[in-house]
Amino acid sequence: MQEAATAAPLDELTLTADVADTLRHGIGVPVDRAAPPGPEAIEALRALYARIGIEADEAVLREGFAAFADGRFGHTPARGPQALLARLYVARGKWAPAVFAVLLALAVGLGGYYLFYRPYRDAQMAAAQRELTEILPARMDALYQQIFNETKVQSAADDAAQLRDRGKSAAAHGDRTAAEQAVTDLTALRDTLGLAYTIEVDDRDGKPGFWTFPPNNSEATNYYIVVDAVDPQGKPLSLPITSEDTGRTSTVTHWGLRVPETVYEAVMADKADDGVVERKLVGIKQDGFVDVDYAIPVLGGALTQW
């Protein structure tokens, strides 16, 4: 063949490598890698190269057999970390978008946490700490001073001092609930001092009194008169009253005040006389005082429902 006749000659090293590669792909006769090549294999190789116009020397062919036997020109796939990195690099088009998306989400999450949420949380914690260590104690001091200036009884000032000291101690120990409760109690005491009203018998709904059996003693009887509070302008007030049967405090406009039986009977007789209670005054609460100055004997208990 004209093409075979003009083929470029191969140098011995290149031919040796080509022989080894040819043997890996097979030459049509059995070849034992572990044994020296036989005459049949040598002739088969010589004929193969002759067909493509290459005259192969037997020494070169045998050297090719030796290279085939020891895998000299063969390719052994890489293994280990470097091979893994190479494969990952080659396949980057498949995994890179997903990894980029994960990294982007992680960057956004961490950026949001460190740039926005954490500063906001730290600011909130700092504000809460400042309120606990500065604002609440300052409010306690201000309320105490207001109570001290307005009260007309030493007991109210003493109570306010105890509430203030207890609240400031709670704030110093990080007990927000107790500190806020101290502020609430001081506020209630201040508001109580500022009230001025009279307590009167309320007979607008008919009966100005009632009696009940105590929950824990059915053989005894408790007597109550119905009362309400009226400010200096004659307007009814709503006051926090603790009911002795439940222990719950409710803000009410009228309530049952427990009194001795003799007082109850006197009020009921006054009502029965002409349908109107003439002697309505029960007690007076003055500005600057905590307690009511009662004009009749009372036993201290109260009911908000009957």
Side-chain angles (χ1 to χ4, degrees), residues 132 136-137 140 163 166-172 174-184:
L132 193 60
L136 288 177
M140 296 176 202
L163 289 172
R166 185 165 65 244
K168 294 178 75 171
S169 176
D175 190 346
R176 174 178 295 274
T177 301
E180 291 177 342
Q181 185 60 49
V183 171
T184 300

Side-chain angles (χ1 to χ4, degrees), residues 250-271:
S250 305
T251 302
V252 295
T253 56
H254 60 280
W255 64 97
L257 180 65
R258 186 150 62 95
V259 295
E261 182 180 2
T262 54
V263 174
Y264 168 80
E265 294 293 350
V267 172
M268 298 301 290
D270 191 357
K271 173 70 173 179

